[in-house]
Amino acid sequence: MTDSSINRPAGDAGINRVVLAYSGGLDTSVILKWLQQTYGCEVVTFTADLGQGEELEPARRKAEMAGVKPEHIFIDDLREEFVRDYVFPMMRSNALYEGLYLLGTSIARPLIAKRQIEIARAVNADAVSHGATGKGNDQVRFELGYYALAPDIKVIAPWREWDLTSRTRLIEFAEQHQIPVSKDKRGEAPFSTDANMLHTSSEGKVLEDPWDEVPDYVYSRTVNPEDAPDQPEIITIDFERGDGVAVNGVGMSPATLLETLNEMGRRHGIGRLDLVENRFVGMKSRGMYETPGGTIYHLAHRGIEQLTLDRGAAHLKDELAPRYAELVYNGFWFSPEREMLQAAIDHSQEKVSGTVRLKLYKGNVGVTGRRSPHSLYSEKVVTFEDDQGAYDQRDAAGFIKLNALRLRLLGRRDR
């Protein structure tokens, strides 16, 4: 392949500096060179540490080798901000996309987009760029974030512009331009992954046939539940105003708390999900998700809400949660409707404080106890023993008759 074989995009004048969301992997390393070559621009790299568990300094070295100025290489530790300002607010809503998915990839994209725009402003960049393909959701999530925060920003999405349409062509381009290619990227990868502190997702190749069981080697974040300890582990999580603050009585920051639950979930094989989902762009895809700590946390949060939320508030939250999840999944984190929903959800959490006890065992997690200083549960009222007048059972007769009135009128008419 020669440089002249690359399609030059129309309207590329005026791009002097671009901020690239950069991992240092094959795709974004090729994109970095392609941007320099195609647009004749200076590239600023941004690598976000969201707790993906990878060494990030190699990304710095690769960027330097590609000619990026040291002052234009940004590697930011965003772990606490990620959990505190994105994961925890989402978890307050009990959001599950299509009833199952805890939105691990979706919730990371607005933070990356936000930081990219901040860097673009700081270095006077003309554009931002990402490595998402034209088939997926991430292109939408990134770009909706960009435009919400910087309406006039220019966005470069190489996968929608270039003619490097296969892994083989990417490797050819990389070798032509002396871009290091790790050995496991030579040839087709068995599947692709995305990871952060909340989850790891895998899709493609060996996962594309939804009838085939996920091979065990795909799982990287959890032990096989069959190989998990034969003895259950009992833990507690303390909540204040809807957010976790302690595990087993030890106070922790948001990121440390999630990391602690991740380790507990890992060794018990908790949080595996095999899902065929509906992408925002219209197609169905099959993915495998591992969300060990998030799965534990989600169930614990629902456990403390069982005690502290009024029935009306709890049921309304359950109606709002699918809408909230869809907004996050589709990339509308910075939309007014998501912020409106967040305000209502956060208001509901004012008394959501207390302790939840859980049992972790061979891929399963269950609530075994909950207590709260703001509990609405009254043992005196609900008891099967003598309630000493706390509840007058005769009141139920009128309650039932009033609720039955329309049914009785319908029955008489249609009899």
Side-chain angles (χ1 to χ4, degrees), residues 6-301:
I6 298 174
N7 294 328
R8 202 171 210 27
D12 60 355
I15 303 294
N16 298 308
R17 185 174 291 164
V18 57
V19 179
L20 169 65
Y22 180 71
S23 69
L26 175 62
D27 292 21
T28 55
S29 294
V30 168
I31 288 171
L32 196 165
K33 182 63 178 180
W34 181 87
L35 288 170
Q36 293 169 330
Q37 184 182 81
T38 305
Y39 285 87
C41 64
E42 185 176 22
V43 177
V44 177
T45 63
F46 162 54
T47 305
D49 182 358
L50 298 177
Q52 54 266 48
E54 297 176 355
E55 173 60 47
L56 299 182
E57 280 306 309
R60 185 189 305 277
R61 293 192 292 271
K62 289 181 180 179
E64 289 175 343
M65 289 172 59
V68 180
K69 297 176 181 177
E71 65 269 25
H72 285 166
I73 300 173
F74 292 82
I75 299 178
D76 294 348
D77 185 347
L78 302 178
R79 289 174 293 177
E80 287 291 351
E81 183 179 0
F82 176 50
V83 182
R84 181 189 67 237
D85 297 342
Y86 294 83
V87 175
F88 273 14
M90 180 183 71
M91 287 291 190
R92 290 177 214 139
S93 75
N94 301 325
L96 293 171
Y97 182 66
E98 297 188 336
L100 292 168
Y101 172 40
L102 281 162
L103 297 160
T105 295
S106 315
I107 194 59
R109 297 327 189 203
L111 174 55
I112 295 173
K114 168 179 165 287
R115 185 64 184 128
Q116 243 182 302
I117 293 299
E118 290 171 349
I119 293 171
R121 288 181 174 136
V123 302
N124 296 315
D126 311 292
V128 291
S129 181
H130 61 77
T133 74
K135 286 187 176 183
N137 297 306
D138 278 344
Q139 59 179 336
V140 183
R141 296 166 181 154
F142 281 129
E143 294 178 37
L144 289 179
Y146 299 152
Y147 291 132
L149 300 171
D152 299 319
I153 194 71
K154 295 176 182 177
V155 178
I156 302 173
W159 280 99
R160 302 202 299 258
E161 296 181 10
W162 65 18
D163 59 359
L164 306 177
T165 55
S166 69
R167 180 71 57 183
T168 299
R169 298 195 70 181
L170 284 179
I171 292 174
E172 288 175 354
F173 182 94
E175 292 178 338
Q176 178 186 353
H177 295 281
Q178 291 79 51
I179 298 170
V181 180
S182 57
K183 292 181 179 179
D184 61 346
K185 293 295 185 181
R186 293 181 180 275
E188 294 288 344
F191 55 92
S192 65
T193 63
D194 175 78
N196 58 50
M197 188 174 293
L198 182 56
H199 90 159
T200 297
S201 66
S202 302
E203 62 182 9
K205 297 304 174 185
V206 298
L207 303 176
E208 288 183 354
D209 186 339
W211 179 251
D212 291 342
E213 184 176 0
V214 177
D216 196 60
Y217 65 79
V218 174
Y219 298 100
S220 62
R221 196 97 173 231
T222 54
V223 304
N224 189 319
E226 297 173 4
D227 300 325
D230 292 330
Q231 296 299 318
E233 182 174 1
I234 309 301
I235 68 168
T236 61
I237 302 176
D238 295 341
F239 288 87
E240 290 182 6
R241 298 173 66 88
D243 289 344
V245 295
V247 175
N248 291 335
V250 179
M252 299 178 182
S253 72
T256 302
L257 187 144
L258 185 55
E259 285 178 339
T260 300
L261 295 180
N262 276 336
E263 174 55 26
M264 292 173 170
R266 181 201 64 77
R267 61 177 174 258
H268 292 281
I270 291 168
R272 295 183 172 191
L273 174 65
D274 180 345
L275 178 67
V276 175
E277 70 198 62
N278 291 291
R279 286 182 180 171
F280 191 25
V281 295
M283 68 187 76
K284 287 185 181 291
S285 65
R286 192 268 189 101
M288 188 283 297
Y289 300 108
E290 292 177 274
T291 319
T295 300
I296 297 169
Y297 187 93
H298 171 80
L299 193 63
H301 181 258

Side-chain angles (χ1 to χ4, degrees), residues 202-408:
S202 302
E203 62 182 9
K205 297 304 174 185
V206 298
L207 303 176
E208 288 183 354
D209 186 339
W211 179 251
D212 291 342
E213 184 176 0
V214 177
D216 196 60
Y217 65 79
V218 174
Y219 298 100
S220 62
R221 196 97 173 231
T222 54
V223 304
N224 189 319
E226 297 173 4
D227 300 325
D230 292 330
Q231 296 299 318
E233 182 174 1
I234 309 301
I235 68 168
T236 61
I237 302 176
D238 295 341
F239 288 87
E240 290 182 6
R241 298 173 66 88
D243 289 344
V245 295
V247 175
N248 291 335
V250 179
M252 299 178 182
S253 72
T256 302
L257 187 144
L258 185 55
E259 285 178 339
T260 300
L261 295 180
N262 276 336
E263 174 55 26
M264 292 173 170
R266 181 201 64 77
R267 61 177 174 258
H268 292 281
I270 291 168
R272 295 183 172 191
L273 174 65
D274 180 345
L275 178 67
V276 175
E277 70 198 62
N278 291 291
R279 286 182 180 171
F280 191 25
V281 295
M283 68 187 76
K284 287 185 181 291
S285 65
R286 192 268 189 101
M288 188 283 297
Y289 300 108
E290 292 177 274
T291 319
T295 300
I296 297 169
Y297 187 93
H298 171 80
L299 193 63
H301 181 258
R302 295 216 64 139
I304 196 61
E305 283 192 332
Q306 292 166 9
L307 281 185
T308 56
L309 280 190
D310 167 75
R311 181 185 67 185
H315 290 188
L316 179 58
K317 274 193 82 238
D318 282 347
E319 292 177 29
L320 298 177
R323 175 63 172 147
Y324 186 105
E326 188 172 83
L327 289 171
V328 174
Y329 184 86
N330 291 345
F332 288 95
W333 178 261
F334 297 110
S335 68
E337 60 269 36
R338 200 281 307 175
E339 293 172 351
M340 289 170 64
L341 285 177
Q342 192 72 59
I345 289 161
D346 290 351
H347 179 74
S348 76
Q349 302 295 288
E350 290 182 0
K351 302 293 185 181
V352 180
S353 300
T355 302
V356 179
R357 186 177 64 243
L358 307 105
K359 180 185 290 186
L360 317 180
Y361 182 66
K362 289 193 176 293
N364 296 298
V365 53
V367 172
T368 64
R370 63 293 260 170
R371 63 188 178 194
S372 170
H374 305 300
S375 176
L376 294 171
Y377 180 88
S378 173
E379 187 175 352
K380 186 175 182 180
V381 169
V382 80
T383 182
F384 282 108
E385 301 301 326
D386 184 4
D387 61 25
Q388 299 179 339
Y391 177 84
D392 189 342
Q393 298 195 34
R394 292 171 295 185
D395 291 344
F399 173 80
I400 295 167
K401 282 192 174 180
L402 285 175
N403 276 280
L405 179 58
R406 65 186 180 90
L407 302 179
R408 295 172 75 185

Side-chain angles (χ1 to χ4, degrees), residues 404-414:
L405 179 58
R406 65 186 180 90
L407 302 179
R408 295 172 75 185
L409 291 172
L410 282 166
R412 287 169 183 162
R413 184 197 68 181
D414 299 337

